[in-house]
Amino acid sequence: MIKVSDTARKKIIDLMKDDGFDATIDYVRVGVKSGGCSGLSYDLKFDKVKGEDDKIFVDNNITIAVEKKSFLYLAGTILEFSGGINGKGFIFNNPNANRTCGCGESFSL
C-alpha cells in the first residue's frame, strides 16, 4: 500500500483541479523508472484511465494507481509534500530505498 499525507492530499487535489482532473474519480499514477543519480527515479502524474496491470489503492481520499512492476519498489511508501522556502515539493518516504540522492528524486535498493 502507498499512503498519502494530509499535506500531499491537499496539494494533489489543487494540482489535479488545475490540470482538469477530478480527485474524486481520477488517479494519481505513481511509478518507478530507470534513471536518476541513484539508479531509479520516481514518476508521479495524473491519469483518467486504469491500466490492466495496475494495483489501485485509496488512502486519505486519494486514489493511487501503480503498475505491478513498480509496486515492488514502492510498497509501504508515504507520499508527502513539503512547501515553503526550503520545500522540495512531493517527497517519497520509501522504506525500501537503501540509498537516495540529495534531491530525493532518485533511489536505489
Side-chain angles (χ1 to χ4, degrees):
M1 175 160 205
I2 296 173
K3 296 195 173 280
V4 179
S5 73
D6 289 337
T7 54
R9 179 183 57 80
K10 290 174 188 170
K11 191 64 174 179
I12 287 168
I13 290 169
D14 289 344
L15 290 173
M16 287 182 93
K17 186 176 179 182
D18 291 348
D19 288 353
F21 291 89
D22 181 347
T24 63
I25 58 173
D26 295 324
Y27 303 95
V28 175
R29 181 165 298 285
V30 180
V32 172
K33 59 185 179 183
S34 248
C37 51
S38 292
L40 297 168
S41 62
Y42 297 107
D43 190 29
L44 181 113
K45 59 187 173 186
F46 306 133
D47 202 342
K48 294 181 180 280
V49 180
K50 177 188 175 292
E52 221 174 90
D53 291 331
D54 286 342
K55 286 185 157 286
I56 303 296
F57 303 96
V58 178
D59 187 65
N60 211 353
N61 295 320
I62 299 295
T63 304
I64 302 164
V66 183
E67 286 184 27
K68 287 181 183 175
K69 63 182 179 179
S70 290
F71 179 70
L72 298 172
Y73 301 106
L74 297 171
T77 295
I78 301 171
L79 181 60
E80 299 191 44
F81 183 82
S82 176
I85 294 173
N86 294 324
K88 293 183 178 181
F90 287 103
I91 300 166
F92 293 81
N93 285 323
N94 186 345
N96 304 303
N98 289 333
R99 185 179 48 148
T100 60
C101 67
C103 67
E105 293 180 14
S106 70
F107 69 101
S108 66
L109 301 178

